[in-house]
Amino acid sequence: MIGVDITEISRIRQVIDRQGDRFLQKVFTPTEQSYCNQFKNKYERYAARFAAKEAVAKLISEGPRSYWLDIEVVNLPSGKPTVKLSPRLQVLVAGDIEISLSHSETSAIAVAMLAASRPAV
């Protein structure tokens, strides 16, 4: 199973500039906001995380706008992005979700894939 989403960075920037904290608190966890805000071009990071949330939601077939804060994109110490799901969504997923994020000057893309189960050793 796979989920993919592409987001225009300018669209995310416009919404953040227009709605500010109201949008950020509705869509991004405090951890995500802290991560994005530390960068010069925070809008690329916000757009990539927005795309990741959409991709994960498509992967698990969760309805629109009901999942924003239930899907959190965090970085491992290595820098690799990973997904943390709320208990409400964890019950819908049998396995781990792997994600890949990328962005250009204008767009951010995310791919989410259900990782194959690893056999017990």
Side-chain angles (χ1 to χ4, degrees):
M1 294 176 56
I2 193 166
V4 178
D5 192 73
I6 187 166
T7 301
E8 293 179 24
I9 295 168
S10 62
R11 179 175 158 244
I12 295 300
R13 181 183 194 136
Q14 289 171 354
V15 174
I16 291 172
D17 288 348
R18 192 173 59 247
Q19 296 183 16
D21 285 342
R22 191 175 87 198
F23 173 75
L24 293 175
Q25 291 172 5
K26 178 181 176 184
V27 177
F28 300 101
T29 68
T31 300
E32 291 169 320
Q33 292 177 53
S34 177
Y35 173 81
C36 294
N37 288 335
Q38 69 182 317
F39 292 93
K40 182 179 177 183
N41 193 344
K42 62 186 177 183
Y43 301 107
E44 292 173 356
R45 269 73 178 188
Y46 277 119
R49 276 151 181 73
F50 185 89
K53 290 172 183 259
E54 288 281 324
V56 170
K58 290 173 182 176
L59 174 70
I60 61 177
S61 301
E62 182 62 19
R65 295 192 182 93
S66 63
Y67 56 82
W68 295 118
L69 299 176
D70 291 316
I71 300 169
E72 183 177 42
V73 179
V74 296
N75 289 73
L76 298 174
S78 66
K80 179 184 177 190
T82 189
V83 174
K84 288 173 61 177
L85 298 177
S86 71
R88 181 174 84 89
L89 292 187
Q90 284 176 4
V91 299
L92 301 175
V93 179
D96 294 328
I97 296 175
E98 296 285 337
I99 61 169
S100 180
L101 310 176
S102 188
H103 57 79
S104 68
E105 241 179 73
T106 59
S107 301
I109 189 168
V111 177
M113 186 175 83
L114 193 58
S117 300
R118 295 185 185 143
V121 204

mmCIF file with all atom_site columns, all heavy atoms in Angstrom, residues 12-26:
data_model
loop_
_atom_site.group_PDB
_atom_site.id
_atom_site.type_symbol
_atom_site.label_atom_id
_atom_site.label_alt_id
_atom_site.label_comp_id
_atom_site.label_asym_id
_atom_site.label_entity_id
_atom_site.label_seq_id
_atom_site.pdbx_PDB_ins_code
_atom_site.Cartn_x
_atom_site.Cartn_y
_atom_site.Cartn_z
_atom_site.occupancy
_atom_site.B_iso_or_equiv
_atom_site.pdbx_formal_charge
_atom_site.auth_seq_id
_atom_site.auth_comp_id
_atom_site.auth_asym_id
_atom_site.auth_atom_id
_atom_site.pdbx_PDB_model_num
ATOM 1   N N   . ILE A 1 12 ? 0.767  26.875 1.040  1.00 0.00 ? 12 ILE A N   1
ATOM 2   C CA  . ILE A 1 12 ? 0.955  26.738 2.489  1.00 0.00 ? 12 ILE A CA  1
ATOM 3   C C   . ILE A 1 12 ? 1.401  28.078 3.073  1.00 0.00 ? 12 ILE A C   1
ATOM 4   O O   . ILE A 1 12 ? 0.904  28.500 4.133  1.00 0.00 ? 12 ILE A O   1
ATOM 5   C CB  . ILE A 1 12 ? 1.963  25.616 2.805  1.00 0.00 ? 12 ILE A CB  1
ATOM 6   C CG1 . ILE A 1 12 ? 1.408  24.249 2.354  1.00 0.00 ? 12 ILE A CG1 1
ATOM 7   C CG2 . ILE A 1 12 ? 2.321  25.596 4.291  1.00 0.00 ? 12 ILE A CG2 1
ATOM 8   C CD1 . ILE A 1 12 ? 0.105  23.839 3.003  1.00 0.00 ? 12 ILE A CD1 1
ATOM 9   N N   . ARG A 1 13 ? 2.301  28.753 2.389  1.00 0.00 ? 13 ARG A N   1
ATOM 10  C CA  . ARG A 1 13 ? 2.769  30.059 2.870  1.00 0.00 ? 13 ARG A CA  1
ATOM 11  C C   . ARG A 1 13 ? 1.611  31.054 2.970  1.00 0.00 ? 13 ARG A C   1
ATOM 12  O O   . ARG A 1 13 ? 1.480  31.776 3.968  1.00 0.00 ? 13 ARG A O   1
ATOM 13  C CB  . ARG A 1 13 ? 3.850  30.611 1.944  1.00 0.00 ? 13 ARG A CB  1
ATOM 14  C CG  . ARG A 1 13 ? 4.374  31.937 2.417  1.00 0.00 ? 13 ARG A CG  1
ATOM 15  C CD  . ARG A 1 13 ? 5.399  32.527 1.477  1.00 0.00 ? 13 ARG A CD  1
ATOM 16  N NE  . ARG A 1 13 ? 6.067  33.606 2.172  1.00 0.00 ? 13 ARG A NE  1
ATOM 17  C CZ  . ARG A 1 13 ? 7.357  33.813 2.153  1.00 0.00 ? 13 ARG A CZ  1
ATOM 18  N NH1 . ARG A 1 13 ? 8.148  33.028 1.467  1.00 0.00 ? 13 ARG A NH1 1
ATOM 19  N NH2 . ARG A 1 13 ? 7.868  34.831 2.813  1.00 0.00 ? 13 ARG A NH2 1
ATOM 20  N N   . GLN A 1 14 ? 0.760  31.090 1.963  1.00 0.00 ? 14 GLN A N   1
ATOM 21  C CA  . GLN A 1 14 ? -0.385 32.010 1.974  1.00 0.00 ? 14 GLN A CA  1
ATOM 22  C C   . GLN A 1 14 ? -1.321 31.719 3.136  1.00 0.00 ? 14 GLN A C   1
ATOM 23  O O   . GLN A 1 14 ? -1.795 32.642 3.809  1.00 0.00 ? 14 GLN A O   1
ATOM 24  C CB  . GLN A 1 14 ? -1.147 31.930 0.655  1.00 0.00 ? 14 GLN A CB  1
ATOM 25  C CG  . GLN A 1 14 ? -0.414 32.540 -0.509 1.00 0.00 ? 14 GLN A CG  1
ATOM 26  C CD  . GLN A 1 14 ? -1.089 32.252 -1.845 1.00 0.00 ? 14 GLN A CD  1
ATOM 27  O OE1 . GLN A 1 14 ? -2.067 31.498 -1.927 1.00 0.00 ? 14 GLN A OE1 1
ATOM 28  N NE2 . GLN A 1 14 ? -0.557 32.840 -2.906 1.00 0.00 ? 14 GLN A NE2 1
ATOM 29  N N   . VAL A 1 15 ? -1.597 30.444 3.383  1.00 0.00 ? 15 VAL A N   1
ATOM 30  C CA  . VAL A 1 15 ? -2.499 30.084 4.480  1.00 0.00 ? 15 VAL A CA  1
ATOM 31  C C   . VAL A 1 15 ? -1.878 30.450 5.820  1.00 0.00 ? 15 VAL A C   1
ATOM 32  O O   . VAL A 1 15 ? -2.552 30.995 6.698  1.00 0.00 ? 15 VAL A O   1
ATOM 33  C CB  . VAL A 1 15 ? -2.868 28.583 4.429  1.00 0.00 ? 15 VAL A CB  1
ATOM 34  C CG1 . VAL A 1 15 ? -3.671 28.174 5.649  1.00 0.00 ? 15 VAL A CG1 1
ATOM 35  C CG2 . VAL A 1 15 ? -3.644 28.258 3.167  1.00 0.00 ? 15 VAL A CG2 1
ATOM 36  N N   . ILE A 1 16 ? -0.594 30.177 5.985  1.00 0.00 ? 16 ILE A N   1
ATOM 37  C CA  . ILE A 1 16 ? 0.076  30.518 7.246  1.00 0.00 ? 16 ILE A CA  1
ATOM 38  C C   . ILE A 1 16 ? 0.102  32.032 7.431  1.00 0.00 ? 16 ILE A C   1
ATOM 39  O O   . ILE A 1 16 ? -0.179 32.537 8.521  1.00 0.00 ? 16 ILE A O   1
ATOM 40  C CB  . ILE A 1 16 ? 1.499  29.920 7.300  1.00 0.00 ? 16 ILE A CB  1
ATOM 41  C CG1 . ILE A 1 16 ? 1.419  28.387 7.404  1.00 0.00 ? 16 ILE A CG1 1
ATOM 42  C CG2 . ILE A 1 16 ? 2.286  30.501 8.484  1.00 0.00 ? 16 ILE A CG2 1
ATOM 43  C CD1 . ILE A 1 16 ? 2.753  27.679 7.266  1.00 0.00 ? 16 ILE A CD1 1
ATOM 44  N N   . ASP A 1 17 ? 0.432  32.761 6.374  1.00 0.00 ? 17 ASP A N   1
ATOM 45  C CA  . ASP A 1 17 ? 0.482  34.224 6.479  1.00 0.00 ? 17 ASP A CA  1
ATOM 46  C C   . ASP A 1 17 ? -0.896 34.813 6.783  1.00 0.00 ? 17 ASP A C   1
ATOM 47  O O   . ASP A 1 17 ? -1.007 35.792 7.504  1.00 0.00 ? 17 ASP A O   1
ATOM 48  C CB  . ASP A 1 17 ? 1.044  34.841 5.193  1.00 0.00 ? 17 ASP A CB  1
ATOM 49  C CG  . ASP A 1 17 ? 2.543  34.595 5.029  1.00 0.00 ? 17 ASP A CG  1
ATOM 50  O OD1 . ASP A 1 17 ? 3.201  34.146 5.996  1.00 0.00 ? 17 ASP A OD1 1
ATOM 51  O OD2 . ASP A 1 17 ? 3.055  34.846 3.918  1.00 0.00 ? 17 ASP A OD2 1
ATOM 52  N N   . ARG A 1 18 ? -1.940 34.200 6.223  1.00 0.00 ? 18 ARG A N   1
ATOM 53  C CA  . ARG A 1 18 ? -3.302 34.705 6.412  1.00 0.00 ? 18 ARG A CA  1
ATOM 54  C C   . ARG A 1 18 ? -3.897 34.276 7.748  1.00 0.00 ? 18 ARG A C   1
ATOM 55  O O   . ARG A 1 18 ? -4.510 35.062 8.459  1.00 0.00 ? 18 ARG A O   1
ATOM 56  C CB  . ARG A 1 18 ? -4.190 34.237 5.252  1.00 0.00 ? 18 ARG A CB  1
ATOM 57  C CG  . ARG A 1 18 ? -5.537 34.919 5.174  1.00 0.00 ? 18 ARG A CG  1
ATOM 58  C CD  . ARG A 1 18 ? -6.332 34.561 3.914  1.00 0.00 ? 18 ARG A CD  1
ATOM 59  N NE  . ARG A 1 18 ? -6.587 33.138 3.807  1.00 0.00 ? 18 ARG A NE  1
ATOM 60  C CZ  . ARG A 1 18 ? -6.061 32.330 2.856  1.00 0.00 ? 18 ARG A CZ  1
ATOM 61  N NH1 . ARG A 1 18 ? -5.269 32.814 1.928  1.00 0.00 ? 18 ARG A NH1 1
ATOM 62  N NH2 . ARG A 1 18 ? -6.350 31.053 2.838  1.00 0.00 ? 18 ARG A NH2 1
ATOM 63  N N   . GLN A 1 19 ? -3.731 33.018 8.114  1.00 0.00 ? 19 GLN A N   1
ATOM 64  C CA  . GLN A 1 19 ? -4.394 32.484 9.304  1.00 0.00 ? 19 GLN A CA  1
ATOM 65  C C   . GLN A 1 19 ? -3.474 32.337 10.513 1.00 0.00 ? 19 GLN A C   1
ATOM 66  O O   . GLN A 1 19 ? -3.962 32.181 11.643 1.00 0.00 ? 19 GLN A O   1
ATOM 67  C CB  . GLN A 1 19 ? -5.040 31.134 8.991  1.00 0.00 ? 19 GLN A CB  1
ATOM 68  C CG  . GLN A 1 19 ? -6.139 31.226 7.967  1.00 0.00 ? 19 GLN A CG  1
ATOM 69  C CD  . GLN A 1 19 ? -6.807 29.881 7.743  1.00 0.00 ? 19 GLN A CD  1
ATOM 70  O OE1 . GLN A 1 19 ? -6.671 28.951 8.526  1.00 0.00 ? 19 GLN A OE1 1
ATOM 71  N NE2 . GLN A 1 19 ? -7.537 29.774 6.651  1.00 0.00 ? 19 GLN A NE2 1
ATOM 72  N N   . GLY A 1 20 ? -2.180 32.327 10.296 1.00 0.00 ? 20 GLY A N   1
ATOM 73  C CA  . GLY A 1 20 ? -1.214 32.266 11.388 1.00 0.00 ? 20 GLY A CA  1
ATOM 74  C C   . GLY A 1 20 ? -1.393 31.084 12.321 1.00 0.00 ? 20 GLY A C   1
ATOM 75  O O   . GLY A 1 20 ? -1.549 29.951 11.890 1.00 0.00 ? 20 GLY A O   1
ATOM 76  N N   . ASP A 1 21 ? -1.382 31.390 13.620 1.00 0.00 ? 21 ASP A N   1
ATOM 77  C CA  . ASP A 1 21 ? -1.440 30.342 14.642 1.00 0.00 ? 21 ASP A CA  1
ATOM 78  C C   . ASP A 1 21 ? -2.696 29.481 14.550 1.00 0.00 ? 21 ASP A C   1
ATOM 79  O O   . ASP A 1 21 ? -2.655 28.300 14.887 1.00 0.00 ? 21 ASP A O   1
ATOM 80  C CB  . ASP A 1 21 ? -1.343 30.948 16.039 1.00 0.00 ? 21 ASP A CB  1
ATOM 81  C CG  . ASP A 1 21 ? 0.073  31.384 16.375 1.00 0.00 ? 21 ASP A CG  1
ATOM 82  O OD1 . ASP A 1 21 ? 1.019  30.937 15.703 1.00 0.00 ? 21 ASP A OD1 1
ATOM 83  O OD2 . ASP A 1 21 ? 0.222  32.183 17.318 1.00 0.00 ? 21 ASP A OD2 1
ATOM 84  N N   . ARG A 1 22 ? -3.789 30.047 14.101 1.00 0.00 ? 22 ARG A N   1
ATOM 85  C CA  . ARG A 1 22 ? -5.023 29.262 13.992 1.00 0.00 ? 22 ARG A CA  1
ATOM 86  C C   . ARG A 1 22 ? -4.822 28.058 13.071 1.00 0.00 ? 22 ARG A C   1
ATOM 87  O O   . ARG A 1 22 ? -5.184 26.927 13.410 1.00 0.00 ? 22 ARG A O   1
ATOM 88  C CB  . ARG A 1 22 ? -6.166 30.143 13.485 1.00 0.00 ? 22 ARG A CB  1
ATOM 89  C CG  . ARG A 1 22 ? -7.529 29.469 13.611 1.00 0.00 ? 22 ARG A CG  1
ATOM 90  C CD  . ARG A 1 22 ? -8.630 30.396 13.230 1.00 0.00 ? 22 ARG A CD  1
ATOM 91  N NE  . ARG A 1 22 ? -8.793 30.272 11.774 1.00 0.00 ? 22 ARG A NE  1
ATOM 92  C CZ  . ARG A 1 22 ? -9.405 31.144 11.006 1.00 0.00 ? 22 ARG A CZ  1
ATOM 93  N NH1 . ARG A 1 22 ? -9.906 32.240 11.520 1.00 0.00 ? 22 ARG A NH1 1
ATOM 94  N NH2 . ARG A 1 22 ? -9.538 30.932 9.728  1.00 0.00 ? 22 ARG A NH2 1
ATOM 95  N N   . PHE A 1 23 ? -4.210 28.283 11.923 1.00 0.00 ? 23 PHE A N   1
ATOM 96  C CA  . PHE A 1 23 ? -3.920 27.192 10.985 1.00 0.00 ? 23 PHE A CA  1
ATOM 97  C C   . PHE A 1 23 ? -2.857 26.262 11.562 1.00 0.00 ? 23 PHE A C   1
ATOM 98  O O   . PHE A 1 23 ? -3.014 25.039 11.547 1.00 0.00 ? 23 PHE A O   1
ATOM 99  C CB  . PHE A 1 23 ? -3.470 27.757 9.643  1.00 0.00 ? 23 PHE A CB  1
ATOM 100 C CG  . PHE A 1 23 ? -2.989 26.707 8.683  1.00 0.00 ? 23 PHE A CG  1
ATOM 101 C CD1 . PHE A 1 23 ? -3.891 25.870 8.039  1.00 0.00 ? 23 PHE A CD1 1
ATOM 102 C CD2 . PHE A 1 23 ? -1.639 26.552 8.420  1.00 0.00 ? 23 PHE A CD2 1
ATOM 103 C CE1 . PHE A 1 23 ? -3.456 24.897 7.137  1.00 0.00 ? 23 PHE A CE1 1
ATOM 104 C CE2 . PHE A 1 23 ? -1.189 25.586 7.528  1.00 0.00 ? 23 PHE A CE2 1
ATOM 105 C CZ  . PHE A 1 23 ? -2.098 24.760 6.888  1.00 0.00 ? 23 PHE A CZ  1
ATOM 106 N N   . LEU A 1 24 ? -1.773 26.835 12.054 1.00 0.00 ? 24 LEU A N   1
ATOM 107 C CA  . LEU A 1 24 ? -0.668 26.017 12.560 1.00 0.00 ? 24 LEU A CA  1
ATOM 108 C C   . LEU A 1 24 ? -1.117 25.095 13.686 1.00 0.00 ? 24 LEU A C   1
ATOM 109 O O   . LEU A 1 24 ? -0.759 23.917 13.714 1.00 0.00 ? 24 LEU A O   1
ATOM 110 C CB  . LEU A 1 24 ? 0.480  26.916 13.028 1.00 0.00 ? 24 LEU A CB  1
ATOM 111 C CG  . LEU A 1 24 ? 1.199  27.693 11.928 1.00 0.00 ? 24 LEU A CG  1
ATOM 112 C CD1 . LEU A 1 24 ? 2.226  28.647 12.532 1.00 0.00 ? 24 LEU A CD1 1
ATOM 113 C CD2 . LEU A 1 24 ? 1.845  26.759 10.925 1.00 0.00 ? 24 LEU A CD2 1
ATOM 114 N N   . GLN A 1 25 ? -1.908 25.599 14.618 1.00 0.00 ? 25 GLN A N   1
ATOM 115 C CA  . GLN A 1 25 ? -2.359 24.782 15.744 1.00 0.00 ? 25 GLN A CA  1
ATOM 116 C C   . GLN A 1 25 ? -3.390 23.733 15.337 1.00 0.00 ? 25 GLN A C   1
ATOM 117 O O   . GLN A 1 25 ? -3.528 22.715 16.004 1.00 0.00 ? 25 GLN A O   1
ATOM 118 C CB  . GLN A 1 25 ? -2.896 25.678 16.852 1.00 0.00 ? 25 GLN A CB  1
ATOM 119 C CG  . GLN A 1 25 ? -1.795 26.482 17.504 1.00 0.00 ? 25 GLN A CG  1
ATOM 120 C CD  . GLN A 1 25 ? -2.302 27.523 18.481 1.00 0.00 ? 25 GLN A CD  1
ATOM 121 O OE1 . GLN A 1 25 ? -3.483 27.608 18.772 1.00 0.00 ? 25 GLN A OE1 1
ATOM 122 N NE2 . GLN A 1 25 ? -1.387 28.331 18.991 1.00 0.00 ? 25 GLN A NE2 1
ATOM 123 N N   . LYS A 1 26 ? -4.099 23.980 14.253 1.00 0.00 ? 26 LYS A N   1
ATOM 124 C CA  . LYS A 1 26 ? -5.082 23.023 13.762 1.00 0.00 ? 26 LYS A CA  1
ATOM 125 C C   . LYS A 1 26 ? -4.423 21.863 13.012 1.00 0.00 ? 26 LYS A C   1
ATOM 126 O O   . LYS A 1 26 ? -4.899 20.733 13.058 1.00 0.00 ? 26 LYS A O   1
ATOM 127 C CB  . LYS A 1 26 ? -6.069 23.735 12.838 1.00 0.00 ? 26 LYS A CB  1
ATOM 128 C CG  . LYS A 1 26 ? -7.114 22.847 12.225 1.00 0.00 ? 26 LYS A CG  1
ATOM 129 C CD  . LYS A 1 26 ? -8.032 23.630 11.310 1.00 0.00 ? 26 LYS A CD  1
ATOM 130 C CE  . LYS A 1 26 ? -9.032 22.732 10.614 1.00 0.00 ? 26 LYS A CE  1
ATOM 131 N NZ  . LYS A 1 26 ? -9.862 23.468 9.658  1.00 0.00 ? 26 LYS A NZ  1
#
